[in-house]
Amino acid sequence: MPVTSYAGFSQGSDGTVVTPGHPGRDTEEDKMRKTITTGALVLAAMAPATTANAAEDAVIDRYHNVATGRVLDDSEFGLRVMPDYHNDHQAWFVRSWGDGSVQIRNKATGNCLDDSFEAGLRSFPCNEMAYQDWYGTVWGDSTVTLVNKATGRAVDDSVEFGLRAFDRNDGPAQRW
């Protein structure tokens, strides 16, 4: 099955998502995802490193929300969504971890996308904790749903509620 990549996440040509399954279940589809993810990680590990700086090796992405058209942005004003200004505040380094999750770090501020029940969705200095690890579900239209490893919540933006982490529902407000 051919696999396409999206900023550190993968998807099969039939829309099969290649990320670890939801906690508490291990279906045949989840096993296939884990197998494909493991294969991709093995190939990545075999690739020669060209620099010692992980930021230089990371993929750079921009996250446009399907529901609102706004772009995930981090600046001295904090994490927010804004019109697309094509600047470094809206550019994110995506670094893959060995478990299929990724770290999402802002190019301008150096802060990581972070979600916890105590502090909510925010940008925060990178610390390699699970609050800053994200799994992605890549959809057939090449959008992605970002799900936090620690909370299980998805990055969500709507006109009614704004930018937040919310229970995963895979709706347009959670597709980037």
Side-chain angles (χ1 to χ4, degrees):
M1 168 172 66
V3 176
T4 57
S5 105
Y6 180 90
F9 304 108
S10 300
Q11 166 191 353
S13 60
D14 64 351
T16 303
V17 180
V18 186
T19 58
H22 297 288
R25 72 177 172 145
D26 200 18
T27 64
E28 288 302 314
E29 185 177 308
D30 293 331
K31 290 176 186 174
M32 166 105 36
R33 290 177 188 158
K34 291 175 185 175
T35 300
I36 294 170
T37 299
T38 302
L41 292 171
V42 168
L43 290 174
M46 293 171 46
T50 57
T51 177
N53 186 343
E56 292 177 20
D57 291 339
V59 174
I60 296 179
D61 201 11
R62 295 177 188 277
Y63 295 101
H64 295 80
N65 185 267
V66 170
T68 65
R70 298 183 292 206
V71 179
L72 193 61
D73 182 291
D74 189 35
S75 70
E76 63 273 13
F77 302 107
L79 184 67
R80 59 191 182 164
V81 285
M82 298 292 290
D84 192 350
Y85 295 126
H86 305 284
N87 62 28
D88 287 348
H89 294 285
Q90 298 176 341
W92 299 83
F93 291 111
V94 180
R95 179 180 176 197
S96 296
W97 297 118
D99 65 353
S101 66
V102 298
Q103 175 191 68
I104 302 172
R105 185 172 56 81
N106 186 267
K107 185 175 182 181
T109 65
N111 285 338
C112 283
L113 190 60
D114 182 292
D115 182 42
S116 69
F117 293 112
E118 296 79 17
L121 183 65
R122 63 185 178 167
S123 69
F124 195 73
C126 299
N127 57 31
E128 298 185 12
M129 294 183 69
Y131 300 111
Q132 297 180 352
D133 291 349
W134 298 87
Y135 293 119
T137 298
V138 181
W139 301 98
D141 60 359
S142 297
T143 60
V144 63
T145 298
L146 301 172
V147 179
N148 186 269
K149 182 178 180 177
T151 66
R153 299 187 301 190
V155 179
D156 184 293
D157 182 39
S158 67
V159 173
E160 297 83 6
F161 301 104
L163 181 64
R164 64 185 178 164
F166 191 69
D167 293 339
R168 181 176 178 175
N169 60 40
D170 296 334
Q174 295 183 353
R175 292 191 180 192
W176 299 86

